[in-house]
Amino acid sequence: MILPGATLGVLGGGQLGRMFCVAARTMGYHTVILDPDPASPAGRVADDHIQADYTDKAALDRLAECCDVITTEFENVPAESLKYLLDKKPVHPSPQAVEIAQNRIKEKNFAIDAGIAPAPFAAIYAEADLQPAVEAIGFPAILKSSTLGYDGKGQFIVDDLAQAVDAFRSMGSVESVLEKKLDLKKEISVLLARNAHGDVQCYSPAENEHRNGILHQSIVPARVNDEIAKEAIQKTIGLAAAMNYVGVLAVEFFITEDDQLIFNEMAPRPHNSGHYTKDASVTSQFEQQVRAICDLPPGDTRLLSPVVMVNMLGDVWDPDWSFLLSETGVKLHLYGKKEARPGRKMGHFNVLDKDINNAILKAERLFIGLSR
Ligand code: ADP
Ligand code: MG
């Protein structure tokens, strides 16, 4: 066990790293982040900020020297850097788990092996793979770059072979997957925390609504039947066990019109759809990350109140905070980012209400009010 007073290292300095650092501090730990960005949101709340590239060996050495355990806040950190650190200090989640989660082909194959079906897909390594792929998958389909995609970036809906070829070329002909576009009834995600002893806790599934490929809001508890919720939790626990996973894992699922549960993707870290846990759960997902990597028991995941989490993007950014702050049952979280850009996640707010329908209505009213 790595006890309070120890120093926790984080690769990456975005809002997830920032909220991790706050949770770690609350529990009496010190934090050091490694991030090249001098204005990184986590850098401002960590005890120390090593400002360097993720592949900078000297910087990785410094991080390993001052930390008792190291984690990551995004999956696109080079797996090589995690492996390098692992020779010096414990790294959770493991480089192997991050390597699976950062590659769509690997994660889908991993899910299949663990008994969870993804949408029908074909791996595309070269342009010549597209023709047989479209024949097997049909249209509409989605072409997604195999690595580095997030918030709907690096993906294109395609309706014929010519569009698929154009999309593939526009992404620089990088390794991709062609995936069947499904008719979705709902999207849900399950968050899990697991320590090295295999002690595990899951939160009840969140129901996620995306707008323009970016998460807009999460409704918890998800309005799905109990069987599907249980199945999603069991499958998430199975995936984590199959990877010997240590840390917080988020698994995104699709629910089709005929109530099939389909694996979408997983993230080896806290997830945007888990931000509600900061105000509506006994233990936040960030505290879970601290507990899991320090080999403490995972915390109580009980929901204290139905909740809706709404993302605030930098598209329209001159909000009247007093309007939001004067509401009962509403909590505002801002990430301290200096520059607002379209699609950039600037903060979120959580709306708590014992009646989920009231929370949904209030969340939408506040969101529209803020966007004016
Ligand atoms: P990202 O890494 O950007 O989150 P996802 O693969 O999760 O990428 O895709 C983003 C969103 O696009 C999904 O949450 C879903 O709304 C939609 N989407 C992705 N794949 C499919 C699919 N096969 N069928 C239908 N909708 C999809
Ligand atoms: Mg996603």
Side-chain angles (χ1 to χ4, degrees), residues 93-118:
S94 70
Q96 291 75 15
V98 174
E99 221 162 22
I100 294 168
Q102 70 187 190
N103 182 300
R104 292 193 193 275
I105 298 173
K106 284 186 191 165
E107 75 182 343
K108 286 180 197 298
N109 285 327
F110 194 84
I112 292 171
D113 291 344
I116 318 176

mmCIF file with all atom_site columns, all heavy atoms in Angstrom, residues 93-118:
data_model
loop_
_atom_site.group_PDB
_atom_site.id
_atom_site.type_symbol
_atom_site.label_atom_id
_atom_site.label_alt_id
_atom_site.label_comp_id
_atom_site.label_asym_id
_atom_site.label_entity_id
_atom_site.label_seq_id
_atom_site.pdbx_PDB_ins_code
_atom_site.Cartn_x
_atom_site.Cartn_y
_atom_site.Cartn_z
_atom_site.occupancy
_atom_site.B_iso_or_equiv
_atom_site.pdbx_formal_charge
_atom_site.auth_seq_id
_atom_site.auth_comp_id
_atom_site.auth_asym_id
_atom_site.auth_atom_id
_atom_site.pdbx_PDB_model_num
ATOM 1   N N   . PRO A 1 93  ? -2.561  2.444   -14.829 1.00 0.00 ? 93  PRO A N   1
ATOM 2   C CA  . PRO A 1 93  ? -2.657  1.108   -15.382 1.00 0.00 ? 93  PRO A CA  1
ATOM 3   C C   . PRO A 1 93  ? -1.386  0.705   -16.116 1.00 0.00 ? 93  PRO A C   1
ATOM 4   O O   . PRO A 1 93  ? -0.551  1.551   -16.414 1.00 0.00 ? 93  PRO A O   1
ATOM 5   C CB  . PRO A 1 93  ? -3.847  1.209   -16.340 1.00 0.00 ? 93  PRO A CB  1
ATOM 6   C CG  . PRO A 1 93  ? -4.005  2.655   -16.634 1.00 0.00 ? 93  PRO A CG  1
ATOM 7   C CD  . PRO A 1 93  ? -3.496  3.389   -15.440 1.00 0.00 ? 93  PRO A CD  1
ATOM 8   N N   . SER A 1 94  ? -1.256  -0.597  -16.395 1.00 0.00 ? 94  SER A N   1
ATOM 9   C CA  . SER A 1 94  ? -0.030  -1.113  -16.999 1.00 0.00 ? 94  SER A CA  1
ATOM 10  C C   . SER A 1 94  ? 0.115   -0.605  -18.430 1.00 0.00 ? 94  SER A C   1
ATOM 11  O O   . SER A 1 94  ? -0.878  -0.314  -19.093 1.00 0.00 ? 94  SER A O   1
ATOM 12  C CB  . SER A 1 94  ? -0.068  -2.636  -17.013 1.00 0.00 ? 94  SER A CB  1
ATOM 13  O OG  . SER A 1 94  ? -1.036  -3.075  -17.957 1.00 0.00 ? 94  SER A OG  1
ATOM 14  N N   . PRO A 1 95  ? 1.355   -0.529  -18.920 1.00 0.00 ? 95  PRO A N   1
ATOM 15  C CA  . PRO A 1 95  ? 1.568   -0.151  -20.319 1.00 0.00 ? 95  PRO A CA  1
ATOM 16  C C   . PRO A 1 95  ? 0.790   -1.061  -21.275 1.00 0.00 ? 95  PRO A C   1
ATOM 17  O O   . PRO A 1 95  ? 0.269   -0.594  -22.278 1.00 0.00 ? 95  PRO A O   1
ATOM 18  C CB  . PRO A 1 95  ? 3.076   -0.331  -20.516 1.00 0.00 ? 95  PRO A CB  1
ATOM 19  C CG  . PRO A 1 95  ? 3.675   -0.262  -19.153 1.00 0.00 ? 95  PRO A CG  1
ATOM 20  C CD  . PRO A 1 95  ? 2.626   -0.732  -18.199 1.00 0.00 ? 95  PRO A CD  1
ATOM 21  N N   . GLN A 1 96  ? 0.667   -2.343  -20.915 1.00 0.00 ? 96  GLN A N   1
ATOM 22  C CA  . GLN A 1 96  ? -0.049  -3.279  -21.791 1.00 0.00 ? 96  GLN A CA  1
ATOM 23  C C   . GLN A 1 96  ? -1.530  -2.907  -21.896 1.00 0.00 ? 96  GLN A C   1
ATOM 24  O O   . GLN A 1 96  ? -2.111  -2.935  -22.981 1.00 0.00 ? 96  GLN A O   1
ATOM 25  C CB  . GLN A 1 96  ? 0.061   -4.724  -21.258 1.00 0.00 ? 96  GLN A CB  1
ATOM 26  C CG  . GLN A 1 96  ? 1.454   -5.338  -21.348 1.00 0.00 ? 96  GLN A CG  1
ATOM 27  C CD  . GLN A 1 96  ? 2.426   -4.794  -20.282 1.00 0.00 ? 96  GLN A CD  1
ATOM 28  O OE1 . GLN A 1 96  ? 2.019   -4.165  -19.307 1.00 0.00 ? 96  GLN A OE1 1
ATOM 29  N NE2 . GLN A 1 96  ? 3.717   -5.017  -20.494 1.00 0.00 ? 96  GLN A NE2 1
ATOM 30  N N   . ALA A 1 97  ? -2.135  -2.534  -20.764 1.00 0.00 ? 97  ALA A N   1
ATOM 31  C CA  . ALA A 1 97  ? -3.553  -2.151  -20.786 1.00 0.00 ? 97  ALA A CA  1
ATOM 32  C C   . ALA A 1 97  ? -3.744  -0.860  -21.581 1.00 0.00 ? 97  ALA A C   1
ATOM 33  O O   . ALA A 1 97  ? -4.691  -0.731  -22.364 1.00 0.00 ? 97  ALA A O   1
ATOM 34  C CB  . ALA A 1 97  ? -4.072  -1.980  -19.357 1.00 0.00 ? 97  ALA A CB  1
ATOM 35  N N   . VAL A 1 98  ? -2.832  0.089   -21.398 1.00 0.00 ? 98  VAL A N   1
ATOM 36  C CA  . VAL A 1 98  ? -2.939  1.360   -22.127 1.00 0.00 ? 98  VAL A CA  1
ATOM 37  C C   . VAL A 1 98  ? -2.766  1.115   -23.623 1.00 0.00 ? 98  VAL A C   1
ATOM 38  O O   . VAL A 1 98  ? -3.473  1.686   -24.454 1.00 0.00 ? 98  VAL A O   1
ATOM 39  C CB  . VAL A 1 98  ? -1.905  2.381   -21.600 1.00 0.00 ? 98  VAL A CB  1
ATOM 40  C CG1 . VAL A 1 98  ? -1.908  3.646   -22.450 1.00 0.00 ? 98  VAL A CG1 1
ATOM 41  C CG2 . VAL A 1 98  ? -2.193  2.719   -20.134 1.00 0.00 ? 98  VAL A CG2 1
ATOM 42  N N   . GLU A 1 99  ? -1.862  0.202   -23.950 1.00 0.00 ? 99  GLU A N   1
ATOM 43  C CA  . GLU A 1 99  ? -1.608  -0.123  -25.358 1.00 0.00 ? 99  GLU A CA  1
ATOM 44  C C   . GLU A 1 99  ? -2.870  -0.692  -26.035 1.00 0.00 ? 99  GLU A C   1
ATOM 45  O O   . GLU A 1 99  ? -3.145  -0.392  -27.193 1.00 0.00 ? 99  GLU A O   1
ATOM 46  C CB  . GLU A 1 99  ? -0.486  -1.166  -25.434 1.00 0.00 ? 99  GLU A CB  1
ATOM 47  C CG  . GLU A 1 99  ? 0.490   -0.903  -26.534 1.00 0.00 ? 99  GLU A CG  1
ATOM 48  C CD  . GLU A 1 99  ? 1.795   -1.674  -26.319 1.00 0.00 ? 99  GLU A CD  1
ATOM 49  O OE1 . GLU A 1 99  ? 1.798   -2.685  -25.586 1.00 0.00 ? 99  GLU A OE1 1
ATOM 50  O OE2 . GLU A 1 99  ? 2.803   -1.247  -26.895 1.00 0.00 ? 99  GLU A OE2 1
ATOM 51  N N   . ILE A 1 100 ? -3.613  -1.486  -25.302 1.00 0.00 ? 100 ILE A N   1
ATOM 52  C CA  . ILE A 1 100 ? -4.856  -2.036  -25.858 1.00 0.00 ? 100 ILE A CA  1
ATOM 53  C C   . ILE A 1 100 ? -5.868  -0.910  -26.041 1.00 0.00 ? 100 ILE A C   1
ATOM 54  O O   . ILE A 1 100 ? -6.457  -0.754  -27.108 1.00 0.00 ? 100 ILE A O   1
ATOM 55  C CB  . ILE A 1 100 ? -5.442  -3.132  -24.936 1.00 0.00 ? 100 ILE A CB  1
ATOM 56  C CG1 . ILE A 1 100 ? -4.498  -4.340  -24.888 1.00 0.00 ? 100 ILE A CG1 1
ATOM 57  C CG2 . ILE A 1 100 ? -6.824  -3.568  -25.414 1.00 0.00 ? 100 ILE A CG2 1
ATOM 58  C CD1 . ILE A 1 100 ? -4.833  -5.345  -23.791 1.00 0.00 ? 100 ILE A CD1 1
ATOM 59  N N   . ALA A 1 101 ? -6.033  -0.090  -25.013 1.00 0.00 ? 101 ALA A N   1
ATOM 60  C CA  . ALA A 1 101 ? -7.078  0.935   -25.047 1.00 0.00 ? 101 ALA A CA  1
ATOM 61  C C   . ALA A 1 101 ? -6.773  2.050   -26.039 1.00 0.00 ? 101 ALA A C   1
ATOM 62  O O   . ALA A 1 101 ? -7.677  2.767   -26.456 1.00 0.00 ? 101 ALA A O   1
ATOM 63  C CB  . ALA A 1 101 ? -7.280  1.511   -23.644 1.00 0.00 ? 101 ALA A CB  1
ATOM 64  N N   . GLN A 1 102 ? -5.517  2.207   -26.414 1.00 0.00 ? 102 GLN A N   1
ATOM 65  C CA  . GLN A 1 102 ? -5.204  3.317   -27.325 1.00 0.00 ? 102 GLN A CA  1
ATOM 66  C C   . GLN A 1 102 ? -5.288  2.905   -28.797 1.00 0.00 ? 102 GLN A C   1
ATOM 67  O O   . GLN A 1 102 ? -5.068  3.724   -29.667 1.00 0.00 ? 102 GLN A O   1
ATOM 68  C CB  . GLN A 1 102 ? -3.836  3.947   -26.996 1.00 0.00 ? 102 GLN A CB  1
ATOM 69  C CG  . GLN A 1 102 ? -2.640  3.110   -27.294 1.00 0.00 ? 102 GLN A CG  1
ATOM 70  C CD  . GLN A 1 102 ? -1.318  3.693   -26.799 1.00 0.00 ? 102 GLN A CD  1
ATOM 71  O OE1 . GLN A 1 102 ? -0.283  3.180   -27.147 1.00 0.00 ? 102 GLN A OE1 1
ATOM 72  N NE2 . GLN A 1 102 ? -1.310  4.747   -25.990 1.00 0.00 ? 102 GLN A NE2 1
ATOM 73  N N   . ASN A 1 103 ? -5.664  1.674   -29.045 1.00 0.00 ? 103 ASN A N   1
ATOM 74  C CA  . ASN A 1 103 ? -5.726  1.205   -30.428 1.00 0.00 ? 103 ASN A CA  1
ATOM 75  C C   . ASN A 1 103 ? -7.074  0.515   -30.667 1.00 0.00 ? 103 ASN A C   1
ATOM 76  O O   . ASN A 1 103 ? -7.393  -0.492  -30.037 1.00 0.00 ? 103 ASN A O   1
ATOM 77  C CB  . ASN A 1 103 ? -4.567  0.227   -30.667 1.00 0.00 ? 103 ASN A CB  1
ATOM 78  C CG  . ASN A 1 103 ? -4.524  -0.263  -32.091 1.00 0.00 ? 103 ASN A CG  1
ATOM 79  O OD1 . ASN A 1 103 ? -5.473  -0.869  -32.577 1.00 0.00 ? 103 ASN A OD1 1
ATOM 80  N ND2 . ASN A 1 103 ? -3.422  -0.006  -32.767 1.00 0.00 ? 103 ASN A ND2 1
ATOM 81  N N   . ARG A 1 104 ? -7.868  1.082   -31.559 1.00 0.00 ? 104 ARG A N   1
ATOM 82  C CA  . ARG A 1 104 ? -9.235  0.571   -31.745 1.00 0.00 ? 104 ARG A CA  1
ATOM 83  C C   . ARG A 1 104 ? -9.259  -0.885  -32.207 1.00 0.00 ? 104 ARG A C   1
ATOM 84  O O   . ARG A 1 104 ? -10.153 -1.647  -31.824 1.00 0.00 ? 104 ARG A O   1
ATOM 85  C CB  . ARG A 1 104 ? -10.002 1.438   -32.748 1.00 0.00 ? 104 ARG A CB  1
ATOM 86  C CG  . ARG A 1 104 ? -10.304 2.836   -32.247 1.00 0.00 ? 104 ARG A CG  1
ATOM 87  C CD  . ARG A 1 104 ? -11.339 3.523   -33.145 1.00 0.00 ? 104 ARG A CD  1
ATOM 88  N NE  . ARG A 1 104 ? -11.418 4.948   -32.871 1.00 0.00 ? 104 ARG A NE  1
ATOM 89  C CZ  . ARG A 1 104 ? -12.161 5.506   -31.909 1.00 0.00 ? 104 ARG A CZ  1
ATOM 90  N NH1 . ARG A 1 104 ? -12.874 4.739   -31.108 1.00 0.00 ? 104 ARG A NH1 1
ATOM 91  N NH2 . ARG A 1 104 ? -12.172 6.810   -31.749 1.00 0.00 ? 104 ARG A NH2 1
ATOM 92  N N   . ILE A 1 105 ? -8.306  -1.290  -33.040 1.00 0.00 ? 105 ILE A N   1
ATOM 93  C CA  . ILE A 1 105 ? -8.302  -2.684  -33.513 1.00 0.00 ? 105 ILE A CA  1
ATOM 94  C C   . ILE A 1 105 ? -8.004  -3.616  -32.334 1.00 0.00 ? 105 ILE A C   1
ATOM 95  O O   . ILE A 1 105 ? -8.697  -4.604  -32.098 1.00 0.00 ? 105 ILE A O   1
ATOM 96  C CB  . ILE A 1 105 ? -7.260  -2.887  -34.639 1.00 0.00 ? 105 ILE A CB  1
ATOM 97  C CG1 . ILE A 1 105 ? -7.622  -2.000  -35.846 1.00 0.00 ? 105 ILE A CG1 1
ATOM 98  C CG2 . ILE A 1 105 ? -7.186  -4.353  -35.058 1.00 0.00 ? 105 ILE A CG2 1
ATOM 99  C CD1 . ILE A 1 105 ? -6.577  -1.986  -36.958 1.00 0.00 ? 105 ILE A CD1 1
ATOM 100 N N   . LYS A 1 106 ? -6.976  -3.240  -31.550 1.00 0.00 ? 106 LYS A N   1
ATOM 101 C CA  . LYS A 1 106 ? -6.616  -4.091  -30.403 1.00 0.00 ? 106 LYS A CA  1
ATOM 102 C C   . LYS A 1 106 ? -7.747  -4.163  -29.385 1.00 0.00 ? 106 LYS A C   1
ATOM 103 O O   . LYS A 1 106 ? -8.037  -5.226  -28.836 1.00 0.00 ? 106 LYS A O   1
ATOM 104 C CB  . LYS A 1 106 ? -5.362  -3.541  -29.708 1.00 0.00 ? 106 LYS A CB  1
ATOM 105 C CG  . LYS A 1 106 ? -4.090  -3.828  -30.480 1.00 0.00 ? 106 LYS A CG  1
ATOM 106 C CD  . LYS A 1 106 ? -2.871  -3.390  -29.685 1.00 0.00 ? 106 LYS A CD  1
ATOM 107 C CE  . LYS A 1 106 ? -1.626  -3.438  -30.562 1.00 0.00 ? 106 LYS A CE  1
ATOM 108 N NZ  . LYS A 1 106 ? -0.501  -2.720  -29.990 1.00 0.00 ? 106 LYS A NZ  1
ATOM 109 N N   . GLU A 1 107 ? -8.402  -3.007  -29.112 1.00 0.00 ? 107 GLU A N   1
ATOM 110 C CA  . GLU A 1 107 ? -9.422  -3.036  -28.054 1.00 0.00 ? 107 GLU A CA  1
ATOM 111 C C   . GLU A 1 107 ? -10.655 -3.823  -28.490 1.00 0.00 ? 107 GLU A C   1
ATOM 112 O O   . GLU A 1 107 ? -11.262 -4.533  -27.690 1.00 0.00 ? 107 GLU A O   1
ATOM 113 C CB  . GLU A 1 107 ? -9.776  -1.644  -27.529 1.00 0.00 ? 107 GLU A CB  1
ATOM 114 C CG  . GLU A 1 107 ? -10.635 -0.795  -28.401 1.00 0.00 ? 107 GLU A CG  1
ATOM 115 C CD  . GLU A 1 107 ? -10.896 0.597   -27.826 1.00 0.00 ? 107 GLU A CD  1
ATOM 116 O OE1 . GLU A 1 107 ? -10.696 0.837   -26.622 1.00 0.00 ? 107 GLU A OE1 1
ATOM 117 O OE2 . GLU A 1 107 ? -11.314 1.457   -28.622 1.00 0.00 ? 107 GLU A OE2 1
ATOM 118 N N   . LYS A 1 108 ? -11.012 -3.729  -29.779 1.00 0.00 ? 108 LYS A N   1
ATOM 119 C CA  . LYS A 1 108 ? -12.172 -4.498  -30.251 1.00 0.00 ? 108 LYS A CA  1
ATOM 120 C C   . LYS A 1 108 ? -11.861 -6.006  -30.203 1.00 0.00 ? 108 LYS A C   1
ATOM 121 O O   . LYS A 1 108 ? -12.705 -6.797  -29.783 1.00 0.00 ? 108 LYS A O   1
ATOM 122 C CB  . LYS A 1 108 ? -12.542 -4.077  -31.673 1.00 0.00 ? 108 LYS A CB  1
ATOM 123 C CG  . LYS A 1 108 ? -13.229 -2.695  -31.747 1.00 0.00 ? 108 LYS A CG  1
ATOM 124 C CD  . LYS A 1 108 ? -13.549 -2.364  -33.189 1.00 0.00 ? 108 LYS A CD  1
ATOM 125 C CE  . LYS A 1 108 ? -13.847 -0.887  -33.423 1.00 0.00 ? 108 LYS A CE  1
ATOM 126 N NZ  . LYS A 1 108 ? -15.019 -0.380  -32.711 1.00 0.00 ? 108 LYS A NZ  1
ATOM 127 N N   . ASN A 1 109 ? -10.657 -6.377  -30.640 1.00 0.00 ? 109 ASN A N   1
ATOM 128 C CA  . ASN A 1 109 ? -10.297 -7.799  -30.588 1.00 0.00 ? 109 ASN A CA  1
ATOM 129 C C   . ASN A 1 109 ? -10.227 -8.297  -29.151 1.00 0.00 ? 109 ASN A C   1
ATOM 130 O O   . ASN A 1 109 ? -10.625 -9.417  -28.845 1.00 0.00 ? 109 ASN A O   1
ATOM 131 C CB  . ASN A 1 109 ? -8.967  -8.043  -31.318 1.00 0.00 ? 109 ASN A CB  1
ATOM 132 C CG  . ASN A 1 109 ? -9.153  -7.993  -32.827 1.00 0.00 ? 109 ASN A CG  1
ATOM 133 O OD1 . ASN A 1 109 ? -10.211 -8.376  -33.339 1.00 0.00 ? 109 ASN A OD1 1
ATOM 134 N ND2 . ASN A 1 109 ? -8.154  -7.494  -33.537 1.00 0.00 ? 109 ASN A ND2 1
ATOM 135 N N   . PHE A 1 110 ? -9.760  -7.434  -28.274 1.00 0.00 ? 110 PHE A N   1
ATOM 136 C CA  . PHE A 1 110 ? -9.693  -7.801  -26.866 1.00 0.00 ? 110 PHE A CA  1
ATOM 137 C C   . PHE A 1 110 ? -11.098 -8.023  -26.306 1.00 0.00 ? 110 PHE A C   1
ATOM 138 O O   . PHE A 1 110 ? -11.344 -8.989  -25.570 1.00 0.00 ? 110 PHE A O   1
ATOM 139 C CB  . PHE A 1 110 ? -8.970  -6.710  -26.072 1.00 0.00 ? 110 PHE A CB  1
ATOM 140 C CG  . PHE A 1 110 ? -8.584  -7.164  -24.704 1.00 0.00 ? 110 PHE A CG  1
ATOM 141 C CD1 . PHE A 1 110 ? -7.412  -7.879  -24.498 1.00 0.00 ? 110 PHE A CD1 1
ATOM 142 C CD2 . PHE A 1 110 ? -9.415  -6.921  -23.622 1.00 0.00 ? 110 PHE A CD2 1
ATOM 143 C CE1 . PHE A 1 110 ? -7.073  -8.340  -23.235 1.00 0.00 ? 110 PHE A CE1 1
ATOM 144 C CE2 . PHE A 1 110 ? -9.081  -7.369  -22.350 1.00 0.00 ? 110 PHE A CE2 1
ATOM 145 C CZ  . PHE A 1 110 ? -7.911  -8.075  -22.164 1.00 0.00 ? 110 PHE A CZ  1
ATOM 146 N N   . ALA A 1 111 ? -12.021 -7.132  -26.682 1.00 0.00 ? 111 ALA A N   1
ATOM 147 C CA  . ALA A 1 111 ? -13.408 -7.263  -26.217 1.00 0.00 ? 111 ALA A CA  1
ATOM 148 C C   . ALA A 1 111 ? -14.018 -8.568  -26.728 1.00 0.00 ? 111 ALA A C   1
ATOM 149 O O   . ALA A 1 111 ? -14.691 -9.282  -25.976 1.00 0.00 ? 111 ALA A O   1
ATOM 150 C CB  . ALA A 1 111 ? -14.233 -6.063  -26.682 1.00 0.00 ? 111 ALA A CB  1
ATOM 151 N N   . ILE A 1 112 ? -13.766 -8.885  -27.997 1.00 0.00 ? 112 ILE A N   1
ATOM 152 C CA  . ILE A 1 112 ? -14.294 -10.143 -28.566 1.00 0.00 ? 112 ILE A CA  1
ATOM 153 C C   . ILE A 1 112 ? -13.772 -11.333 -27.750 1.00 0.00 ? 112 ILE A C   1
ATOM 154 O O   . ILE A 1 112 ? -14.539 -12.214 -27.351 1.00 0.00 ? 112 ILE A O   1
ATOM 155 C CB  . ILE A 1 112 ? -13.887 -10.290 -30.053 1.00 0.00 ? 112 ILE A CB  1
ATOM 156 C CG1 . ILE A 1 112 ? -14.604 -9.222  -30.894 1.00 0.00 ? 112 ILE A CG1 1
ATOM 157 C CG2 . ILE A 1 112 ? -14.213 -11.691 -30.572 1.00 0.00 ? 112 ILE A CG2 1
ATOM 158 C CD1 . ILE A 1 112 ? -14.122 -9.127  -32.334 1.00 0.00 ? 112 ILE A CD1 1
ATOM 159 N N   . ASP A 1 113 ? -12.468 -11.322 -27.473 1.00 0.00 ? 113 ASP A N   1
ATOM 160 C CA  . ASP A 1 113 ? -11.879 -12.426 -26.701 1.00 0.00 ? 113 ASP A CA  1
ATOM 161 C C   . ASP A 1 113 ? -12.489 -12.523 -25.306 1.00 0.00 ? 113 ASP A C   1
ATOM 162 O O   . ASP A 1 113 ? -12.562 -13.605 -24.724 1.00 0.00 ? 113 ASP A O   1
ATOM 163 C CB  . ASP A 1 113 ? -10.362 -12.256 -26.582 1.00 0.00 ? 113 ASP A CB  1
ATOM 164 C CG  . ASP A 1 113 ? -9.665  -12.460 -27.921 1.00 0.00 ? 113 ASP A CG  1
ATOM 165 O OD1 . ASP A 1 113 ? -10.309 -13.015 -28.836 1.00 0.00 ? 113 ASP A OD1 1
ATOM 166 O OD2 . ASP A 1 113 ? -8.492  -12.047 -28.071 1.00 0.00 ? 113 ASP A OD2 1
ATOM 167 N N   . ALA A 1 114 ? -12.903 -11.363 -24.767 1.00 0.00 ? 114 ALA A N   1
ATOM 168 C CA  . ALA A 1 114 ? -13.511 -11.370 -23.430 1.00 0.00 ? 114 ALA A CA  1
ATOM 169 C C   . ALA A 1 114 ? -15.015 -11.625 -23.501 1.00 0.00 ? 114 ALA A C   1
ATOM 170 O O   . ALA A 1 114 ? -15.721 -11.524 -22.499 1.00 0.00 ? 114 ALA A O   1
ATOM 171 C CB  . ALA A 1 114 ? -13.222 -10.042 -22.725 1.00 0.00 ? 114 ALA A CB  1
ATOM 172 N N   . GLY A 1 115 ? -15.517 -11.919 -24.709 1.00 0.00 ? 115 GLY A N   1
ATOM 173 C CA  . GLY A 1 115 ? -16.924 -12.286 -24.849 1.00 0.00 ? 115 GLY A CA  1
ATOM 174 C C   . GLY A 1 115 ? -17.884 -11.113 -24.984 1.00 0.00 ? 115 GLY A C   1
ATOM 175 O O   . GLY A 1 115 ? -19.072 -11.239 -24.684 1.00 0.00 ? 115 GLY A O   1
ATOM 176 N N   . ILE A 1 116 ? -17.392 -9.953  -25.434 1.00 0.00 ? 116 ILE A N   1
ATOM 177 C CA  . ILE A 1 116 ? -18.266 -8.783  -25.610 1.00 0.00 ? 116 ILE A CA  1
ATOM 178 C C   . ILE A 1 116 ? -18.200 -8.340  -27.062 1.00 0.00 ? 116 ILE A C   1
ATOM 179 O O   . ILE A 1 116 ? -17.135 -7.938  -27.547 1.00 0.00 ? 116 ILE A O   1
ATOM 180 C CB  . ILE A 1 116 ? -17.818 -7.605  -24.725 1.00 0.00 ? 116 ILE A CB  1
ATOM 181 C CG1 . ILE A 1 116 ? -17.416 -8.116  -23.334 1.00 0.00 ? 116 ILE A CG1 1
ATOM 182 C CG2 . ILE A 1 116 ? -18.925 -6.580  -24.617 1.00 0.00 ? 116 ILE A CG2 1
ATOM 183 C CD1 . ILE A 1 116 ? -16.872 -7.026  -22.450 1.00 0.00 ? 116 ILE A CD1 1
ATOM 184 N N   . ALA A 1 117 ? -19.339 -8.381  -27.743 1.00 0.00 ? 117 ALA A N   1
ATOM 185 C CA  . ALA A 1 117 ? -19.329 -8.075  -29.179 1.00 0.00 ? 117 ALA A CA  1
ATOM 186 C C   . ALA A 1 117 ? -19.234 -6.575  -29.443 1.00 0.00 ? 117 ALA A C   1
ATOM 187 O O   . ALA A 1 117 ? -19.995 -5.798  -28.868 1.00 0.00 ? 117 ALA A O   1
ATOM 188 C CB  . ALA A 1 117 ? -20.603 -8.625  -29.806 1.00 0.00 ? 117 ALA A CB  1
ATOM 189 N N   . PRO A 1 118 ? -18.307 -6.145  -30.309 1.00 0.00 ? 118 PRO A N   1
ATOM 190 C CA  . PRO A 1 118 ? -18.332 -4.766  -30.800 1.00 0.00 ? 118 PRO A CA  1
ATOM 191 C C   . PRO A 1 118 ? -19.238 -4.690  -32.036 1.00 0.00 ? 118 PRO A C   1
ATOM 192 O O   . PRO A 1 118 ? -19.748 -5.718  -32.483 1.00 0.00 ? 118 PRO A O   1
ATOM 193 C CB  . PRO A 1 118 ? -16.869 -4.519  -31.199 1.00 0.00 ? 118 PRO A CB  1
ATOM 194 C CG  . PRO A 1 118 ? -16.335 -5.863  -31.570 1.00 0.00 ? 118 PRO A CG  1
ATOM 195 C CD  . PRO A 1 118 ? -17.152 -6.891  -30.813 1.00 0.00 ? 118 PRO A CD  1
#
